[in-house]
Amino acid sequence: MENDKNSQKIVDYIGNFARKHSLFVLAYGTGCGAIEIPATMTSRYDAERFGIRGAATPRQADVLLITGYLSTKTLKRVIRVYEQMQEPKYVIGFGSCTVNGGMYYDSYNTINGLDQYIPVDVYINGCMPRPEAVISGFVKLQELIMAGKANNGEKYRENLEHYRSNQKKIIKNWKMPDYNW
Amino acid sequence: MEDLGLKIFGAILTTIMAFTVGMTYGGIVRKLTARVQNRYGPPVYQNFLDLLKLQSKKTNIAHGFMGHMAPVWIIIAAVTVLMFIPILNGNLWFPNLSFHGDLIFLLYMMVFGSLGMALGAGQTGNPNSAIGVTRGLSQMVGYEIPFVLALVALMIQFQTTSVQDLTQVQHETGVWNAFANPFAFLAALLASLGMFRYSPFDIVGAPAELASGPVSEFGGKYLGTMMSGGAVFAFIKLTLYVHLFFGGAGNPDDSGILATLAGIGILLVKTFLLYMIPVFYGWINPRYRTEQAIRYFWGWPTALGIVGVLWAVFFN
Amino acid sequence: MTDLVKENILLNAVTSAFKIEGKVIRDRRVEVHADKNTVSSILLFAKKQLGYIHMNHMTCIDWIEQGEFELVYTIYHPVDKLTLFVKTRIDREIPVMENIDTIWDHANTYEREMREMFGIEFPGLVGEHDFILEDWDQIPPMRKEFDTHKYAAETFYTRPGREDAKDVREELSKRSGTVVPDFAKKYSRE
Ligand code: SF4
């Protein structure tokens, strides 16, 4: 994590090294892309050699993997999950649908552009991306972490109002607490 | 005074060693599992990285006092139990607080950590945690019976309730308890399958079913602390088994550097081989349901345990 | 190709009993066009007398030019392996249709979906009004007058495309020397 002087201390390097090599992934299988996750995790592509492994709950997870289109109904759950994760937390948008809506760009029920609602560290494009692309996305995320540039959790908290107004534009009947830790 | 200093030094040494060995074993198991599944697998030190990362999380959320205390409780229980386990038989570098009757004390103390976990998980209010805790306690009821029967058999056979004495007996006669009372040994071995919670007895933290069960609301430092506690506990159980059934390790008459290192080497070999039994069993088995697990433990393992007790009563 | 004996027998049985039109689509597919009031009797007749005990599907088509919704009930005979389509038209302005979840329980699910997506009312239908959508305050989205492109552009944030992005159709036609057909022109970027 970069400090205010845009530099990192030795502690940060050690912490970042550990963070980089131990990514617990909460794979939020929203769209078709979820089918690539088993392929990425199992023997052919074996993401575990990079220290990437699945986490069962948002509390334990570091990376939120949004695999595909997000309907407005799912967005609500994604926001809850994202806010329950512990910092430092990262988001990977997976597939064209998260980038700009993909083939559902004109659907009345799926969002276009995930980063308007929660901050995204890495986008992986493709419809759907192959496991090689997924792994390269993770490697990119690792580079960002090592450089101390992946502090979107803080960014989210600081710009909470901006994100909230975007979210509330879609989720009209907002029944959640304003920040669910 | 020097004595006390040495003891404290020994205690710290013991804890560090238990922690390191437990974590490394976990890493080795992950690597081996990956190789069995035809994967490359994470590095052996992956568990240390995970722990470091968990401890360097920026925010950590707790759900009240017990949620705060549960990991601490586990660590306390682990270290306390560790202090009563002879690491090396009679070695001066690894002193312990053993007394006559510590086997019974250990039986009680070993569930202490699970109790803390249960209380902490209860306070988080997550339904998955509650289900996980019930499952864990049911499973414990299952495997404790053959385990206790095996220990009772040993106690009757050698007329002692001290771990140290049991190790000493094996050292003097040269016959391992695994052969002196094979039925008790088998019962304890089958009970250990449940104790280590690998498949098919991973019903407590079933990730796909229960979202990791009791720990589902714990993240960051809490999870890290629990992981370290679990690693120490794994080492404790292995060492206890080795000392009870496999003749222990170390030479009580020689505490020199070489003898100590040789003792540690023997201990590591024995514990590792023992650890591989539940792991191997896990690789080839899917998950049981709770009642299947309990039926398993109350079947053959319990029968073997009873035979072990009878053997101890009538043939010695 | 079979000679469609079973199909014609079925068609005759239904059309003569209710004095309605119908036709054999192909082997194992028969359709009949019914008035909206007789649909439930046809379905009951088919279920009780002819053995069409399973309802596969139930769907709606929006004929906006004719001002009508078309409802299609797809029912199936598991022994004869015949599928019968019962089609009916209802008014688009007052979209009310008889509730048939007393005949097949799972019709309830389809009817709730139609209520949500097309705004068709089924009197006596039990179930939450929010089914797939949450907090929907526009006109039902599957109706053809609902402009989903415009709605998406207004509600969601469209990401601007790349500056150097090219129109695929134009590029391909330029490259191969063909002309873009008229019906495709409206999809072009320019
Ligand atoms: S990007 Fe393609 S594969 Fe991925 S969710 Fe969207 S449509 Fe499906």
Side-chain angles (χ1 to χ4, degrees):
Chain A
M1 214 103 325
E2 270 182 359
N3 59 15
D4 35 338
K5 286 180 207 133
N6 282 343
S7 60
Q8 301 192 71
K9 294 199 203 112
I10 291 190
V11 214
D12 297 325
Y13 277 114
I14 297 173
N16 284 344
F17 182 77
R19 279 178 202 130
K20 170 184 164 190
H21 284 293
S22 154
L23 293 168
F24 286 17
V25 180
L26 184 70
Y28 199 102
T30 54
C32 353
I35 204 70
E36 294 291 329
I37 303 299
T40 316
M41 290 296 180
T42 46
S43 54
R44 175 115 196 175
Y45 293 101
D46 185 23
E48 202 182 2
R49 66 205 147 105
F50 299 105
I52 301 164
R53 76 185 272 201
T57 71
R59 296 275 184 223
Q60 303 163 2
D62 307 309
V63 185
L64 181 59
L65 194 63
I66 309 270
T67 55
Y69 55 82
L70 269 182
S71 70
T72 54
K73 199 172 172 179
T74 325
L75 181 67
K76 204 182 209 170
R77 279 78 186 170
V78 166
I79 292 164
R80 292 208 71 153
V81 165
Y82 180 67
E83 287 176 2
Q84 282 181 19
M85 282 163 61
Q86 308 291 307
E87 279 171 41
K89 50 189 173 187
Y90 323 106
V91 178
I92 294 185
F94 179 115
S96 312
C97 279
T98 52
V99 183
N100 58 4
M103 63 192 272
Y104 300 103
Y105 72 101
D106 61 350
S107 165
Y108 55 91
N109 206 21
T110 57
I111 60 163
N112 304 342
L114 177 61
D115 52 343
Q116 301 289 342
Y117 308 99
I118 51 178
V120 179
D121 289 283
V122 176
Y123 273 126
I124 306 168
N125 68 354
C127 176
M128 56 193 45
R130 284 184 54 78
E132 294 97 330
V134 179
I135 288 177
S136 88
F138 272 106
V139 171
K140 178 80 192 157
L141 177 67
Q142 289 183 335
E143 280 166 17
L144 286 180
I145 293 172
M146 203 55 204
K149 297 226 173 73
N151 43 6
N152 271 339
E154 267 169 48
K155 192 176 140 205
Y156 182 73
R157 251 187 305 136
E158 280 159 16
N159 304 333
L160 187 63
E161 253 156 51
H162 164 70
Y163 287 114
R164 263 293 177 271
S165 67
N166 281 357
Q167 292 160 2
K168 283 187 180 168
K169 194 173 161 199
I170 291 191
I171 305 167
K172 285 149 197 153
N173 196 355
W174 187 270
K175 284 186 195 138
M176 296 190 264
D178 248 351
Y179 194 96
N180 30 107
W181 284 103
Chain B
M1 214 42 222
E2 251 179 38
D3 216 27
L4 185 66
L6 194 66
K7 272 205 166 142
I8 291 175
F9 177 71
I12 293 172
L13 196 70
T14 315
T15 315
I16 290 175
M17 185 177 130
F19 170 74
T20 320
V21 173
M23 293 294 268
T24 314
Y25 279 7
I28 292 175
V29 167
R30 273 176 79 174
K31 184 85 180 172
L32 286 178
T33 313
R35 298 305 298 158
V36 166
Q37 293 170 352
N38 203 4
R39 290 188 285 132
Y40 181 74
V44 173
Y45 53 86
Q46 179 68 40
N47 273 1
F48 290 100
L49 288 176
D50 284 356
L51 184 67
L52 191 57
K53 181 215 66 181
L54 287 173
Q55 298 289 10
S56 62
K57 278 269 190 192
K58 295 259 161 123
T59 53
N60 302 279
I61 191 155
H63 298 266
F65 181 70
M66 260 336 282
H68 233 24
M69 287 307 289
V72 181
W73 206 313
I74 291 172
I75 282 279
I76 291 174
V79 175
T80 316
V81 177
L82 188 61
M83 291 300 114
F84 288 92
I85 303 262
I87 304 296
L88 292 184
N89 184 14
N91 192 296
L92 294 179
W93 293 96
F94 296 101
N96 65 33
L97 309 171
S98 65
F99 58 94
H100 291 289
D102 57 357
L103 199 50
I104 294 174
F105 174 75
L106 281 178
L107 270 179
Y108 279 97
M109 261 327 258
M110 276 170 65
V111 293
F112 192 70
S114 314
L115 191 66
M117 173 76 110
L119 290 175
Q123 202 178 30
T124 62
N126 190 319
N128 285 330
S129 309
I131 301 174
V133 167
T134 10
R135 284 184 178 200
L137 294 182
S138 323
Q139 183 171 338
M140 205 187 284
V141 170
Y143 70 72
E144 286 278 288
I145 289 183
F147 182 58
V148 171
L149 278 172
L151 294 195
V152 167
L154 286 190
M155 292 178 203
I156 295 175
Q157 190 159 352
F158 299 103
Q159 299 293 326
T160 173
T161 52
S162 155
V163 185
Q164 191 93 56
D165 288 356
L166 283 172
T167 320
Q168 195 61 31
V169 165
Q170 299 177 58
H171 183 71
E172 277 159 17
T173 59
V175 181
W176 289 4
N177 284 348
F179 302 113
N181 193 339
F183 297 105
F185 166 66
L186 280 177
L189 192 67
L190 292 178
S192 83
L193 298 180
M195 235 179 256
F196 285 105
R197 290 192 187 153
Y198 281 102
S199 304
F201 301 106
D202 55 347
I203 56 175
V204 181
E209 245 174 277
L210 278 187
S212 75
V215 295
S216 57
E217 280 290 320
F218 293 93
K221 293 193 169 66
Y222 299 99
L223 191 64
T225 317
M226 282 180 175
M227 250 175 80
S228 351
V232 177
F233 251 120
F235 180 76
I236 287 170
K237 289 167 195 161
L238 292 170
T239 318
L240 184 65
Y241 266 74
V242 165
H243 277 278
L244 287 180
F245 293 106
F246 293 105
N251 188 348
D253 313 320
D254 187 1
S255 286
I257 298 272
L258 271 183
T260 311
L261 286 181
I264 292 179
I266 289 173
L267 181 73
L268 290 185
V269 170
K270 282 179 179 172
T271 47
F272 187 74
L273 291 180
L274 183 62
Y275 197 34
M276 282 301 109
I277 293 172
V279 172
F280 266 69
Y281 197 73
W283 285 338
I284 53 170
N285 277 286
R287 185 157 56 234
Y288 276 160
R289 290 203 309 270
T290 318
E291 74 269 18
Q292 287 171 328
I294 294 179
R295 202 177 300 141
Y296 180 93
F297 288 122
W298 287 0
W300 283 107
T302 308
L304 285 170
I306 293 172
V307 175
V309 174
L310 294 177
W311 169 287
V313 172
F314 291 115
F315 292 97
N316 288 280
Chain C
M1 201 61 198
T2 52
D3 43 4
L4 308 175
V5 179
K6 276 194 297 185
E7 288 80 357
N8 280 315
I9 293 175
L10 165 68
L11 185 63
N12 278 335
V14 180
T15 46
S16 61
F18 291 93
K19 313 250 175 324
I20 50 175
E21 297 288 303
K23 71 167 197 257
V24 176
I25 305 175
R26 60 171 175 84
D27 57 330
R28 291 180 278 115
R29 301 281 189 281
V30 178
E31 74 171 54
V32 293
H33 302 273
D35 184 55
K36 87 179 227 195
N37 296 324
T38 50
V39 166
S40 62
S41 10
I42 294 175
L43 293 177
L44 256 183
F45 173 75
K47 183 180 180 183
K48 294 274 165 8
Q49 309 281 322
L50 306 179
Y52 284 75
I53 53 171
H54 178 65
M55 187 181 84
N56 280 351
H57 194 52
M58 173 177 168
T59 186
C60 177
I61 300 132
D62 188 357
W63 295 98
I64 188 168
E65 294 87 355
Q66 293 144 30
E68 280 174 334
F69 284 129
E70 180 173 37
L71 291 177
V72 184
Y73 299 79
T74 313
I75 57 179
Y76 180 67
H77 194 303
V79 180
D80 289 356
K81 312 243 181 301
L82 287 179
T83 306
L84 174 64
F85 299 89
V86 181
K87 298 190 175 179
T88 185
R89 298 251 176 158
I90 61 174
D91 189 9
R92 215 167 167 281
E93 300 306 316
I94 322 156
V96 182
M97 185 59 199
E98 201 175 338
N99 175 16
I100 61 147
D101 70 358
T102 44
I103 306 178
W104 284 285
D105 285 349
H106 60 281
N108 184 291
T109 309
Y110 296 121
E111 289 178 355
R112 280 176 66 194
E113 186 184 356
M114 282 188 226
R115 178 168 71 185
E116 180 157 68
M117 292 296 180
F118 291 93
I120 303 175
E121 276 307 321
F122 296 88
L125 180 63
V126 182
E128 284 284 323
H129 266 267
D130 271 6
F131 178 49
I132 292 170
L133 305 172
E134 262 181 7
D135 318 325
W136 186 256
D137 54 3
Q138 309 279 320
I139 57 173
M142 285 296 201
R143 287 189 171 221
K144 281 197 178 145
E145 74 253 32
F146 177 74
D147 189 346
T148 152
H149 197 158
K150 185 158 145 275
Y151 175 79
E154 281 167 6
T155 318
F156 309 115
Y157 301 87
T158 15
R159 189 184 297 276
R162 275 195 350 233
E163 291 293 308
D164 55 345
K166 291 189 176 124
D167 188 79
V168 179
R169 241 176 241 99
E170 306 266 316
E171 275 303 305
L172 281 182
S173 66
K174 228 180 273 168
R175 211 177 293 165
S176 62
T178 51
V179 188
V180 181
D182 278 343
F183 69 85
K185 282 229 169 88
K186 66 176 174 185
Y187 300 111
S188 292
R189 259 170 219 269
E190 278 79 47

